């Protein structure tokens, strides 16, 4: 079912498969138009089937022109089970012919998270044109508390306007995070949220209504010159899908 804000599918796997086709098309078009395509990956568990589908069905994308970034990262070693990089490595990157230099993990090996945030901001600015630099496809998830990337409700990081990447503190372990800030996210050409499960219904309603954005940072993702599309399962969309 297609609504103005997005698409609802029977299962999260169905939503992920449809989103994979959309992401593949967007990256192919960006590479064709500008010679480079940049995608920022989200973390957590939801996107795994999306990444697996991209690796399985879309290995013939112009990977040498595609650059992979992250929207946020837990401040852990890249081989930690908590690492968003590790999950994407296993679900996607090890299965496609992407040049190693095109994969840009957040530098969580640095002792100082603030230094890591500044380094990653420089990576973004060097890689992509625009001020702020424009990511072609930004993938995001939704937490049950309304967070997205590592922008948590009530966090001071929500107010950052002078940096592309910032440190943040999660309510749960691993607490230390790095995240793209709203200026970086809102420079995206396309933002795609993938979310599922009844436990996120309230967060989705809050994100779509936008009534209390400070308490639902996902509602603050609104690119001035880009699109936001939600890819949902029926369990999270529930009665929202029936509304106008
Ligand atoms: C992270 C993610 C985070 C995630 C949500 C949803 O580092 O955890 O980037 O923003 O998208 O927490 O996580 P699940 O997909 O595991 O529910």
């Amino acid at each position: 079912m297609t609504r103005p804000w997005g698409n609802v599918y029977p299962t999260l796997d169905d939503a992920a498969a449809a989103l994979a086709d959309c992401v593949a098309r967007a990256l192919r078009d960006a590479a064709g138009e500008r010679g480079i395509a940049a995608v920022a990956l989200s973390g957590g568990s939801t996107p795994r089937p999306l990444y697996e589908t991209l690796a399985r069905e879309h290995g013939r994308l112009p990977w040498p022109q595609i650059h992979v970034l992250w929207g946020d990262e837990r401040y852990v070693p890249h081989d930690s089970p908590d690492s968003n990089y590790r999950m994407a490595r296993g679900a996607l990157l090890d299965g496609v012919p992407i040049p190693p230099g095109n994969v840009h993990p957040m530098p969580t090996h640095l002792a100082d998270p603030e230094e890591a945030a500044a380094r990653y901001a420089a990576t973004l600015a060097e890689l992509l044109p625009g001020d702020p630099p424009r990511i072609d496809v930004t993938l995001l998830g939704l937490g049950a508390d309304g967070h997205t990337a590592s922008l948590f409700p009530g966090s001071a990081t929500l107010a950052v306007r002078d940096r592309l990447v910032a440190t943040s503190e999660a309510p749960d372990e691993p607490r230390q995070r790095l995240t793209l800030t709203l200026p970086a996210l809102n420079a995206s050409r396309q933002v795609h949220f993938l979310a599922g499960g009844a436990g996120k219904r309230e967060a989705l309603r809050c994100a779509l209504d936008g009534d209390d954005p400070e308490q639902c940072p996902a509602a603050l993702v609104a690119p001035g010159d880009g699109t936001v599309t939600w890819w949902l399962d029926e369990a999270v969309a529930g009665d929202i899908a029936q509304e106008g």
Side-chain angles (χ1 to χ4, degrees):
M1 176 190 301
T2 299
R3 312 296 300 168
W5 34 262
N7 310 288
V8 181
Y9 296 85
T11 69
L12 193 56
D13 281 352
D14 296 331
L19 176 51
D21 289 343
C22 178
V23 169
R25 195 164 44 249
L27 293 176
R28 191 184 305 279
D29 291 350
E33 287 165 25
R34 289 179 292 276
I36 180 175
V39 55
L41 301 183
S42 63
S45 57
T46 300
R48 181 184 290 276
L50 166 62
Y51 301 160
E52 290 169 344
T53 304
L54 278 172
R56 189 177 60 248
E57 309 287 337
H58 298 286
R60 299 171 60 82
L61 280 174
W63 291 104
Q65 293 171 273
I66 294 172
H67 285 258
V68 173
L69 300 153
W70 273 261
D72 76 317
E73 184 58 278
R74 295 84 178 274
Y75 214 80
V76 296
H78 286 155
D79 61 359
S80 161
D82 286 322
S83 166
N84 290 335
Y85 166 78
R86 181 176 185 266
M87 187 274 275
R89 187 87 261 168
L92 171 59
L93 300 171
D94 288 344
V96 295
I98 188 168
N102 287 23
V103 179
H104 309 277
M106 290 187 165
T108 57
H109 59 284
L110 297 179
D112 177 5
E114 294 296 344
E115 167 63 20
R119 288 265 190 99
Y120 206 66
T123 296
L124 211 54
E126 287 156 16
L127 180 67
L128 297 171
D131 183 15
R134 300 202 71 191
I135 299 170
D136 295 291
V137 177
T138 294
L139 301 175
L140 290 174
L142 178 69
D145 62 355
H147 83 262
T148 193
S150 283
L151 297 171
F152 295 94
S155 162
T157 308
L158 296 178
V160 171
R161 294 291 179 274
D162 62 346
R163 280 167 283 152
L164 298 172
V165 185
T167 60
S168 82
E169 184 173 358
D172 304 314
E173 291 300 338
R175 292 178 182 274
Q176 182 68 65
R177 306 288 182 98
L178 292 181
T179 188
L180 295 190
T181 58
L182 286 168
L185 294 174
N186 284 335
S188 302
R189 288 191 169 86
Q190 296 184 20
V191 173
H192 295 280
F193 283 92
L194 178 64
K200 297 182 179 180
R201 277 193 183 184
E202 270 322 296
L204 176 65
R205 177 175 293 282
C206 181
L208 293 176
D209 291 349
D211 293 343
D212 188 3
E214 282 292 314
Q215 290 311 309
C216 186
L220 295 170
V221 178
D225 183 18
T227 59
V228 175
T229 307
W230 289 82
W231 304 78
L232 307 166
D233 68 8
E234 286 169 356
V236 71
D239 51 357
I240 294 175
Q242 311 308 326
E243 295 164 13

